[in-house]
Amino acid sequence: MRVVFFGTPDFAVESLDAIAQSRHEVVAVVTVPDRQAGRGQKVVFSAVKQYALDHALPLLQPEKLRDEEFLAALRACNADMFVVVAFRMLPEVVWNMPPHGTFNLHASLLPRYRGAAPINWAIINGETETGVTTFLLNHKIDEGSILLQERTPIATDETAESLHDRLAAMGRGLVVRTLDGIADGTITPMPQEGVACPAPKIFKDDCRIDFSRTPEEVDRFVRGLSPYPAAVMVMRSPEGADISFKVFRVGVEKADKTTAGSVFCDGKKVLKVSVSAGFVNILELQIAGKRKNYIEEFLRGNSLSGWELVM
């Protein structure tokens, strides 16, 4: 089949590469416009654009998805199907254009974890299983008929990064199997069934660690945001300055009758915070503007004597 691929980040590159190497033809790639970023305002572009350039694939970067020039370019592709992986919401005039419709690869087992951050929330909420789903786009976000799914367990030490990479690798195979099944007429779309669960986008203000939670809940929260956008704790120096620390990994220690929010530091290799029914040991952290450190390395160069946790 002739395919137009829509995507932006690294997660989408796996699927684009799989389609490009399959019996199907990528007739165009759609990604976000280039942006300026950093102090030097250098022009940066998406991982999907880089792949398209490296493999000489036709590229479209519309500012507006309803732009008539863009829509005309899509029609000229004469595609059989559009495939979407980690891209913005498409208007009906786009997703309803190809004769076989448009399907999306989503990093959860729909209807579980509909929304922008399914990988993060699955870990934060303590799920033991997740997966990838291909589904047809319709008027409602992440609610279209399911085409195929593949499941995988979530490890007890899973981070957002490790799960992201595993699901991206799983997704590349599922996307091609979905295209094959549609082309061969062997897939029957099925309505979503079961309890829906939201997975909203995570903003900076959502990343603050709640140290009134249990050790296990804090651990899941940290792993679910590691390494990006990263869980955050705030400590107050003896001089009264509030400093934010990104926390990437913690250890869990259970205990009875602990008062949340107390900080214990031996100045050498232990920094732990009391929580509900135990402690969390801070194992890997970063101060803004500095590089990431293991706790032993951090304490060799930084004294936290007299510092307090800001709850």
Side-chain angles (χ1 to χ4, degrees):
M1 290 203 297
R2 293 171 59 84
V3 175
V4 173
F5 184 89
F6 295 71
T8 300
D10 290 332
F11 187 90
V13 172
E14 286 273 6
S15 294
L16 174 56
D17 179 64
I19 298 171
Q21 295 186 47
S22 73
R23 63 176 166 131
H24 308 286
E25 180 185 3
V26 179
V27 295
V29 173
V30 182
T31 193
V32 295
D34 299 340
R35 304 295 185 198
Q36 290 182 319
R39 292 182 180 179
Q41 289 295 285
K42 290 184 178 180
V43 175
V44 295
F45 42 79
S46 72
V48 163
K49 177 177 178 177
Q50 186 63 61
Y51 183 93
L53 293 175
D54 291 344
H55 295 81
L57 297 175
L59 186 65
L60 298 171
Q61 294 180 269
E63 286 284 351
K64 297 180 180 180
L65 297 177
R66 299 178 188 272
D67 180 79
E68 282 302 326
E69 186 175 341
F70 169 63
L71 295 176
L74 279 182
R75 295 187 189 98
C77 291
N78 193 30
D80 300 300
M81 188 153 216
F82 294 167
V83 177
V84 181
V85 183
F87 195 69
R88 50 184 159 152
M89 184 177 178
L90 300 184
E92 182 178 2
V93 68
V94 174
W95 59 256
N96 202 31
M97 186 182 296
H100 288 283
T102 300
F103 77 78
N104 185 90
L105 173 72
H106 189 72
S108 81
L109 297 173
L110 290 172
R112 299 290 290 175
Y113 295 99
R114 292 173 176 161
I119 295 173
N120 309 92
W121 286 110
I123 296 174
I124 291 170
N125 290 341
E127 300 289 350
T128 58
E129 183 183 54
T130 187
V132 284
T133 302
T134 50
F135 70 98
L136 292 170
L137 292 191
N138 62 14
H139 295 93
K140 297 181 179 180
I141 296 175
D142 297 341
E143 295 189 29
S145 296
I146 290 173
L147 300 170
L148 291 177
Q149 287 187 325
E150 185 173 344
R151 313 174 89 86
T152 186
I154 298 177
T156 56
D157 61 348
E158 196 90 67
T159 65
E161 181 177 43
S162 63
L163 187 55
H164 167 281
D165 293 349
R166 289 202 296 114
L167 294 181
M170 289 172 59
R172 66 176 287 134
L174 195 72
V175 162
V176 171
R177 292 199 300 276
T178 301
L179 285 171
D180 289 344
I182 291 171
D184 299 337
T186 58
I187 291 180
T188 301
M190 300 292 291
Q192 294 187 27
E193 297 181 349
V195 178
C197 181
K201 185 176 180 178
I202 296 173
F203 296 95
K204 183 178 180 180
D205 290 345
D206 302 319
C207 296
R208 186 83 169 263
I209 299 171
D210 180 359
F211 286 101
S212 69
R213 311 293 289 186
T214 67
E216 294 82 4
E217 289 171 327
V218 174
D219 173 51
R220 293 201 306 263
F221 185 78
V222 170
R223 289 188 289 107
L225 299 181
S226 181
Y228 181 83
V232 172
M233 71 174 185
V234 179
M235 295 186 69
R236 182 166 295 151
S237 72
E239 295 75 29
D242 289 353
I243 307 297
S244 293
F245 296 77
K246 290 183 177 180
V247 180
F248 301 99
R249 191 164 60 95
V250 300
V252 170
E253 185 179 334
K254 294 184 179 181
D256 294 329
K257 299 180 180 179
T258 50
T259 301
S262 296
V263 177
F264 303 87
C265 181
D266 67 357
K268 296 179 180 180
K269 60 179 181 180
V270 175
L271 173 63
K272 66 181 181 180
V273 180
S274 61
V275 295
S276 175
F279 301 88
V280 289
N281 287 280
I282 310 300
L283 302 178
E284 198 170 356
L285 76 170
Q286 181 182 20
I287 297 179
K290 304 292 184 179
R291 64 185 180 88
K292 186 189 302 184
N293 288 127
Y294 293 110
I295 191 61
E296 297 93 334
E297 184 181 12
F298 177 82
L299 291 176
R300 280 199 296 268
N302 299 273
S303 173
L304 293 181
S305 176
W307 288 59
E308 297 178 347
L309 183 73
V310 180
M311 291 286 282

